[in-house]
Amino acid sequence: MEPITHYVGGCPQAPKDEVFSEIRNPATGELLGRVPADGGEGALAAVEAASRAFLDWRRIPAGERIQYLFGFKQLLEANFDEIARTITLENGKTLAESRGELRRGIENVEVACGIPTLMQGYNLEDIAQGIDEIMIRQPLGVVAIITPFNFPSMIPLWFLPYALACGNTLVLKPSEKTPLTVTKIIDLLGRLDLPPGVVNVANGCKGAVDVLLDHPDVRAVSFVGSTPVAKYIYARASANGKRVQCQGGAKNHVVVMPDADAEMTVKIVSDSAFGCAGQRCLAVSTAVTVGEARDHFRDAIVDVASSLSVGSGLDESVQMGPVITSQSKERIEGLIEQGVAEGAKAVLDGRGVKTSTHKNGNFLYPTVLDNVSSGSTLSETEIFGPVLSLVHVNTIEAAIELIAANPYGNASSIFTSDGAVARKFRYEVPTGNVGVNIGVAAPMAYFPFSGWKDSFLGVMHGQGRDAVEFYTDKKVVVERWPKNWSRKF
Ligand code: NAD
């Protein structure tokens, strides 16, 4: 099988690497492709192409640059089902989930079409008599985008449309586990006669990333992935003087109050915990029941979770697909084991499952662990799989304290019918995204998206106006135009 190509200067480019890793269908184990294990040489060529393209691209008026995005949106819509199928093939999530993430990605293309307005600066006449001041936003130059496996289309689209529309050129480094979706999407962009080098793709892993972090022509880095890698990227790219935004891992809590709507809460929490097989940075990982919510919620969530149909995401009747790799499956099973050893009770145990049709898939069934104690490994570790921990406290104050003690701060939710309790939660909880009777508090494309604490390193968040802020530099001009010049030099 030929290895996946880079995309450099408007053309596919075969990698020169000698070592490759495999891209496998998580539901069947089938080999889908091979990707450079390093990718440094491809990344270098990609940065050089992006550098060459920058000056001409930035001179194209914003109103013309966005015409490419209008065309891009049309092509994404026309190829919607094919892209969704590719996402499911390489990532394993259900087709409905693939369609959902692609839709959210396209919304960012739509928002970035507003760049001629969003990118405007501001000015003030007569800051002193006869002197005016103008703030202009200018593109940065070459920007790098490094993305994870769990949203192969949406996360690249959190960044790419804004970076382009603002007049930057870019190098995208998709996850080595799911690069086929980006290949498809970039092939569509290539049909639009975008000037060569404006968009480039470097496939690979650490070798490719390190080139992007060190190359002097890369002005900014947008990263999404796990927290240890986020910290590494933030430190190295910042030390090299780059602007950096790193969205990291998560450990999200949902608080269930005794006055919550029982049926709605259980259904939504189940969707949040087990949707995408728990491989969402906004997935709930721990349900904190308050007071009397405890017993009913535990029994009801086990009922709903145990009824989910698990299998290949290509089967429209399936509600939960596999996890990404066999190593990931083993890691999650090990964490369940450790949780039980530390005193948790597996009231629903999804380990050891073999579906008859997909023996080689990385399948786990939903797992619910009761009595997970605070401070245990399970309570602090990002599991990133279909495992929901249950914790019990007596007051809303104790629930907020428990969330605040966690090192992550991506998202949290509360289910209640009491507005005052909901407001207290919203006001006090230290997470970047908050849901009130919502299980996955995912901001729309025109709102900023990022967590707090160990879930985010940087200042400007992703999407919307923050993306414009991140991908532009502000230049201030102070002007005087005297009426009567004295003798000229
Ligand atoms: P990952 O950190 O393993 O990989 C992310 C990217 O970093 C990939 O492109 C990968 O090639 C690269 N990478 C991996 N190891 C590297 C290294 N040592 N040096 C340099 N680059 C390296 O993450 P993943 O497993 O692909 O994705 C899952 C993680 O992403 C979870 O922790 C999840 O919470 C997080 N995530 C966060 C958000 C968010 O918005 N905060 C969104 C989605 C996913």
Side-chain angles (χ1 to χ4, degrees):
M1 187 175 276
E2 284 300 307
I4 187 169
T5 52
H6 308 295
Y7 186 79
V8 176
C11 303
Q13 183 175 294
K16 298 196 178 86
D17 297 62
E18 288 175 0
V19 183
F20 293 89
S21 36
E22 294 174 337
I23 311 158
R24 289 196 176 268
N25 180 335
T28 61
E30 178 201 357
L31 185 65
L32 299 174
R34 295 190 306 134
V35 66
D38 181 271
E41 143 283 329
L44 183 60
V47 174
E48 286 168 356
S51 287
R52 285 193 297 273
F54 173 62
L55 286 181
D56 285 341
W57 178 245
R58 73 159 286 199
R59 284 196 184 94
I60 295 180
E64 283 178 41
R65 290 198 298 260
I66 61 165
Q67 297 310 314
Y68 292 100
L69 293 184
F70 284 114
F72 187 34
K73 145 114 177 137
Q74 279 175 349
L75 285 175
L76 289 170
E77 297 289 1
N79 294 275
F80 194 89
D81 287 336
E82 200 192 324
I83 300 169
R85 202 182 146 78
T86 306
I87 297 170
T88 293
L89 269 181
E90 65 176 353
N91 170 283
K93 63 178 68 174
T94 66
L95 275 174
E97 289 165 344
S98 297
R99 292 186 194 111
E101 75 149 277
L102 183 54
R103 179 56 54 209
R104 301 308 294 264
I106 291 174
E107 284 162 7
N108 282 280
V109 181
E110 292 164 359
V111 173
C113 287
I115 285 294
T117 308
L118 292 169
M119 204 179 153
Q120 287 175 12
Y122 47 85
N123 57 63
L124 186 67
E125 282 183 335
D126 290 324
I127 53 156
Q129 210 170 65
I131 299 181
D132 306 329
E133 185 158 342
I134 305 163
M135 190 281 275
I136 302 164
R137 286 186 186 281
Q138 295 193 334
L140 302 175
V142 179
V143 303
I145 300 166
I146 303 160
T147 56
F149 79 83
N150 65 329
F151 286 96
S153 72
M154 180 183 79
I155 294 182
L157 293 175
W158 279 354
F159 305 106
L160 179 147
Y162 303 101
L164 271 192
C166 288
N168 303 283
T169 56
L170 63 90
V171 179
L172 169 60
K173 209 301 283 169
S175 165
E176 68 284 5
K177 295 177 193 132
T178 55
L180 302 175
T181 304
V182 159
T183 304
K184 208 161 258 308
I185 286 176
I186 296 300
D187 176 57
L188 297 178
L189 255 181
R191 290 187 210 167
L192 294 170
D193 291 329
L194 202 60
V198 171
V199 172
N200 305 275
V201 177
N203 279 301
C205 191
K206 185 170 169 20
V209 170
D210 285 350
V211 167
L212 301 177
L213 305 182
D214 292 345
H215 199 293
D217 287 359
V218 174
R219 290 282 319 280
V221 177
S222 300
F223 168 84
V224 183
S226 58
T227 292
V229 180
K231 287 184 173 171
Y232 165 74
I233 287 181
Y234 193 77
R236 187 155 171 168
S238 306
N240 285 328
K242 302 183 196 313
R243 184 179 290 200
V244 198
Q245 53 177 190
C246 288
Q247 307 196 175
K251 185 80 185 170
N252 305 315
H253 296 73
V254 60
V255 175
V256 182
M257 298 301 291
D259 62 3
D261 179 314
E263 206 178 316
M264 175 187 82
T265 303
V266 169
K267 158 121 195 29
I268 295 178
V269 173
S270 169
D271 284 351
S272 173
F274 306 119
C276 297
Q279 301 171 115
R280 273 191 291 211
C281 68
L282 292 178
V284 58
S285 180
T286 304
V288 185
T289 47
V290 177
E292 291 133 40
R294 176 179 186 157
D295 291 345
H296 177 73
F297 180 80
R298 180 192 56 219
D299 298 345
I301 196 85
V302 167
D303 263 6
V304 172
S306 55
S307 70
L308 292 175
S309 66
V310 178
S312 163
L314 290 177
D315 174 348
E316 295 271 8
S317 68
V318 157
Q319 291 163 299
M320 193 181 100
V323 296
I324 187 73
T325 57
S326 55
Q327 294 88 329
S328 178
K329 179 182 169 196
E330 276 166 33
R331 183 185 153 275
I332 296 163
E333 286 175 338
L335 282 166
I336 297 172
E337 184 72 47
Q338 189 169 354
V340 171
E342 287 179 357
K345 182 169 179 221
V347 284
L348 185 65
D349 191 340
R351 289 174 292 175
V353 171
K354 285 268 177 240
T355 59
S356 55
T357 44
H358 295 100
K359 292 195 185 60
N360 298 322
N362 314 318
F363 291 103
L364 277 161
Y365 271 39
T367 295
V368 180
L369 297 173
D370 197 12
N371 282 330
V372 174
S373 56
S374 58
S376 62
T377 312
L378 214 64
S379 71
E380 303 240 319
T381 308
E382 178 178 39
I383 301 174
F384 224 54
V387 180
L388 179 66
S389 300
L390 303 183
V391 175
H392 310 286
V393 295
N394 291 324
T395 61
I396 178 66
E397 286 79 12
I400 295 172
E401 243 172 65
L402 189 142
I403 298 171
N406 198 278
Y408 292 104
N410 213 34
S412 60
S413 291
I414 187 164
F415 283 79
T416 181
S417 53
D418 184 330
V421 169
R423 184 178 188 278
K424 176 183 173 65
F425 185 79
R426 186 187 82 191
Y427 196 85
E428 294 180 13
V429 77
T431 63
N433 303 284
V434 176
V436 176
N437 297 318
I438 298 283
V440 178
M444 297 296 285
Y446 28 85
F447 281 91
F449 179 32
S450 266
W452 284 10
K453 294 158 66 182
D454 269 3
S455 297
F456 180 62
L457 294 96
V459 179
M460 287 301 148
H461 294 195
Q463 302 194 147
R465 285 182 220 165
D466 269 34
V468 178
E469 192 74 38
F470 185 77
Y471 288 128
T472 56
D473 231 343
K474 293 185 272 291
K475 180 182 274 179
V476 171
V477 183
V478 182
E479 290 184 343
R480 169 191 284 134
W481 292 98
K483 224 181 205 164
N484 301 311
W485 295 90
S486 65
R487 185 182 69 80
K488 301 200 173 73
F489 287 107

